[in-house]
Amino acid sequence: MMEQVNLYFSGKRAKLLEELKDFIRIPSVSTSPDFRKEMFRCAQHVAGLLHQAGLEHVKEFSAGGYPIVYGDWLYAPGCPTVLVYGHYDVQPAEPLELWQSPPFQPEIRDEKLFGRGASDNKGQIFLHIKTIEALLELTGRLPFNIKFCIEGEEEIGSPGLSPFLQANQDLLQADLAVISDTAMLGENQPAVCYALRGLLGVQIDVRGPATDLPSGSIYGGAVQNPIHALVHLLSSMRNDNGRIAVKGFYDEVLPVPEQERKALAGLPFRDSDLVKRLNAPELFGEEGYTTLERAWIRPTLEINGIHGGGEGGQTIIPSTAHAHVTCRLVPDQNPQVIFNRLAKHIQEHTPPGVEVTVTAEDPGHKPYMTPINHPAIRLAAEAYENVYGVPCHWIRAGGSIPVVETLADLFDIPVVLMGFGLPDGNVHGPNEYFSLQNFDKGFRTLCFYWLRLKDCL
């Protein structure tokens, strides 16, 4: 059967690339109301792709914001049911001047397809849709049942997804979830991701005088500067060795088994390669841990942005200052507990002369670890190895995919993370791309997986 699969995708490669380009051309930026019309157009485009693939009951559900697109094929009684999740919204493309080609005019260079959303997540969900289309065209049926749930608000925290999943549990019930929204370890280094960090986002607002004041006159030296106060607060959260100084921050962090640390140390990863890729002076992180351990198995607290005061040479004492902070969390940290400890730390370290407000952006998202001994997850590694011809790695990911923990808890099912992106794919930056090697091998890997799934569930 795989020989037929190979011939199918070889013959349709040019057509499939053009279809993916059409998908990328839709500027489905969920973070800005300026793209509202394009968001709905993209949802319709996704529905059209599902129809074309041979799926049924295709529908755009309203979830209070942008549509969630659903479709299914349910003609395999007694066989497992798989839920495939993805998203059609993308990050903003700015700064546009840093793109070598326009972000929504996809272009192929050096065996890479460049464009916003090429990897996150249009290219990867496109692989799934077209794989199902191929199997239905080649065999007329599937050896399993399948449901697609493709949302349009992942890049803004998926506010409508959890309520939708809870309200439609019967519709979406499955034996397994499969998601391709992660990266491999590197080019031709396939990897199954078995853990994701959780996420807590916090806004810190510091208020001093009622209005901006001149820094001379009788004000300079007479009132607290909110920016100074904010810098003091932020500096108090981490020590010089990279360890987070918020009391209780690490209380629930589980020790990493020595076997896992040895496995991570054995991965084909070198700090020098990362320094070169980032063009950074050097790496930095929590003392006592390797780079991969810091990025995957340790929690973080990062300052994402600071603003306040005037522009240029304005000599003022600003009335307010603001910062955005995010924490990546690991098992068994709870976002609400960490928020409470962070808020208490800020209260205890607030300098005189200002008032500080701390706001959680949402309830936060818990970390997730998958049961890596589950047969359906082991099959993912087998599929990679069969198509790529090299050993598959087992990795964690430093990022967060909130829906993973929700699906696992709500439906009590394993979640398989089969990513086809690359670590340097620039998924949230200029010149995002999708490797054409992974475009070609991704179809075949997924077909291998689907064709053998029934035997391991």
Side-chain angles (χ1 to χ4, degrees), residues 143-167:
F144 57 92
N145 303 291
I146 193 164
K147 302 174 180 180
F148 278 86
C149 177
I150 306 174
E151 67 156 323
E153 296 182 330
E154 196 271 348
E155 301 294 1
I156 55 174
S158 304
L161 183 61
S162 183
F164 171 78
L165 294 175
Q166 294 181 32

Side-chain angles (χ1 to χ4, degrees), residues 207-214 219 223-224 226 316-320:
R207 187 181 70 82
T211 62
D212 292 348
L213 301 173
Y219 305 114
V223 296
Q224 177 67 274
I316 64 167
I317 298 171
S319 63
T320 62

Side-chain angles (χ1 to χ4, degrees), residues 18 38-39 42 64 69 85 208 290 292 294 350 369 375 400 402 422:
E18 288 306 311
E38 299 295 343
M39 285 294 301
C42 196
V69 186
Y85 163 87
T290 67
L292 286 183
R294 294 165 183 164
T350 295
M369 287 192 70
S400 309
L422 291 176

